[in-house]
Amino acid sequence: MTAQADRVAEPLVDGPAPSPEPLPAAPPGRRRRHRGAEALRRLVTRPGTVLSALYLLLLVGWVIAPTIFSTHDPLEVAGGSLAPPSSTFWFGTDLNGRDVYSRVVHGARLSLLAGIAAVTISLLVGGLLGMIAGFVGGIVDAVISRAVEVIVSIPGLLLSLAIISVLGFGVEKVAVAVGNAGIPGMVRIARAETLRIVNLPYMDAATASGTRRLTGILTHVVPNASGAIGVVAGIDLGGAILAVASLSFLGFGSVPPTPEWGSQINEGRMYIAGAWWWTLFPSLVAGLTVLSVNRLSRGIGTKEAR
């Protein structure tokens, strides 16, 4: 029995064990079904993120080709004054008989593009200053940080109003004002992310090898910090759209009769008791846009964190 057990315990083949044969690839039809099942699972488990993405996709269509989605000319009289919502006028008409739905669709271009321009300004300027402060350090970091602390003490809307008073009225000026008001917050985020990256081992190796500061920022800091900063910029986009609409509501944005969400809300506020649709639907579209942008950005941020 002992000899037989020893023979069983001996390896049958000398050398390394053979590697298992690769499994055959799934046929294209099965792969498509698998992707469809994965998409359905995401829709069931994260319906808010999916619905937000679909809604934002619709808004992109409004921005690119508003005439396809609108039912009437936004500047021409289409029906009676202050007509309620119906099958002909989905969002009703305003005081001049213009279709509110068509004006909301055409107004998406100014509102969204102004918000995107504002976030782009804060992202480029604030991100660059924050990366320089975190990477260089010393007196440069101290000067930028103290300046940011002073500006942060001023409310963003008040700072935007101060900038508009210097630049003048118009949607473009509103976008520049909102973008400059968002720079301090972006500086803080970019600086904190840069400090985290600078303390990693591969940055010590890059510094020891003689990498220049500008080269280090471009080749190491920017690629590794872009993910977190991009998620924050996406969240700030909702606030920028809301800020642009708020300033337009105060009369600093587009000049009538150019359609824009904030100005439409301002036009209908005097008639909200009898013509509630004139104010409700532009406000609802703007609110859903902000919620969808925030929901999608936070969903992407959660995925990046994983």
Side-chain angles (χ1 to χ4, degrees):
M1 293 296 294
T2 304
Q4 183 178 1
D6 294 338
R7 286 195 300 271
V8 173
E10 292 177 357
L12 299 179
V13 180
D14 295 334
S19 59
E21 296 182 0
L23 297 176
R30 183 175 299 177
R31 290 199 298 268
R32 286 193 294 268
R33 288 194 296 269
H34 178 71
R35 288 195 295 267
E38 181 66 18
L40 182 61
R41 186 188 65 82
R42 292 181 179 177
L43 178 62
V44 174
T45 57
R46 296 193 296 269
T49 303
V50 176
L51 293 178
S52 298
L54 293 177
Y55 178 76
L56 294 178
L57 185 63
L58 175 63
L59 292 183
V60 171
W62 288 6
V63 173
I64 296 177
T67 55
I68 297 178
F69 294 91
S70 60
T71 56
H72 298 83
D73 192 319
L75 302 179
E76 299 294 334
V77 176
S81 176
L82 299 179
S86 61
S87 58
T88 304
F89 305 107
W90 296 348
F91 291 176
T93 62
D94 60 8
L95 184 63
N96 296 318
R98 297 171 298 195
D99 183 37
V100 175
Y101 167 74
S102 299
R103 291 182 60 80
V104 169
V105 172
H106 284 262
R109 173 174 294 178
L110 280 179
S111 299
L112 295 181
L113 291 183
I116 293 173
V119 172
T120 303
I121 293 173
S122 62
L123 177 63
L124 294 179
V125 179
L128 180 59
L129 289 177
M131 290 180 183
I132 292 175
F135 190 82
V136 177
I139 186 64
V140 176
D141 184 17
V143 171
I144 295 177
S145 299
R146 299 296 84 77
V148 167
E149 290 178 359
V150 172
I151 299 176
V152 166
S153 63
I154 305 174
L157 187 59
L158 182 60
L159 181 60
S160 299
L161 290 174
I163 297 175
I164 288 177
S165 64
V166 176
L167 299 179
F169 296 175
V171 179
E172 300 84 359
K173 311 297 178 56
V174 168
V176 173
V178 173
N180 281 275
I183 289 176
M186 191 61 66
V187 170
R188 285 185 164 185
I189 297 297
R191 177 180 177 274
E193 191 67 14
T194 302
L195 289 175
R196 182 188 67 83
I197 296 173
V198 166
N199 293 324
L200 295 177
Y202 69 85
M203 286 301 301
D204 295 335
T207 304
S209 62
T211 303
R212 295 183 178 180
R213 291 179 176 180
L214 180 59
T215 304
I217 293 177
L218 295 178
T219 58
H220 297 290
V221 178
V222 173
N224 291 282
S226 59
I229 296 177
V231 171
V232 174
I235 297 175
D236 288 346
L237 177 59
I241 294 173
L242 186 60
V244 169
S246 300
L247 293 174
S248 297
F249 174 81
L250 296 176
F252 298 104
S254 63
V255 179
T258 304
E260 197 272 333
W261 292 345
S263 61
Q264 286 181 264
I265 299 172
N266 183 32
E267 292 171 358
R269 64 185 176 88
M270 299 298 297
Y271 304 89
I272 193 171
W276 49 268
W277 55 87
W278 191 0
T279 302
L280 173 63
F281 288 111
S283 304
L284 186 62
V285 171
L288 288 176
T289 301
V290 175
L291 290 176
S292 298
V293 170
N294 290 341
R295 183 72 176 89
L296 186 61
S297 300
R298 293 183 186 278
I300 296 175
T302 303
K303 183 177 179 182
E304 290 288 340
R306 293 177 183 176

